[in-house]
Amino acid sequence: MKKFNFKNLRDVVLVGKILSAGLVVAGYAFLSVWCSSWLSENGFNIFISLLAVPLITGFGMWQAWSFIKLGMRNKE
């Protein structure tokens, strides 16, 4: 009888976290484009509306990285 290996389960959980982090980044990228469009339509400076895209997307990438890094910690 073969024992269940929990390392495989941790790998599955890690892949799930990476996929969900990718969805978080995609959501923030969509939000940044939407905010940039809203800002330009409501008379804000074009520089501010274009600056919203990398700032909001960068924040989403930072959130995703911290979520993945939290899951990769070795808790033994």
Side-chain angles (χ1 to χ4, degrees), residues 44-52:
F44 283 86
N45 190 354
I46 190 70
F47 178 73
I48 292 173
S49 66
L50 290 178
L51 191 62

Side-chain angles (χ1 to χ4, degrees), residues 18-46:
I18 289 173
L19 288 175
S20 63
L23 290 174
V24 166
V25 172
Y28 273 103
F30 176 76
L31 176 69
S32 68
V33 172
W34 182 77
C35 283
S36 175
S37 173
W38 184 85
L39 288 170
S40 65
E41 287 175 0
N42 288 319
F44 283 86
N45 190 354
I46 190 70

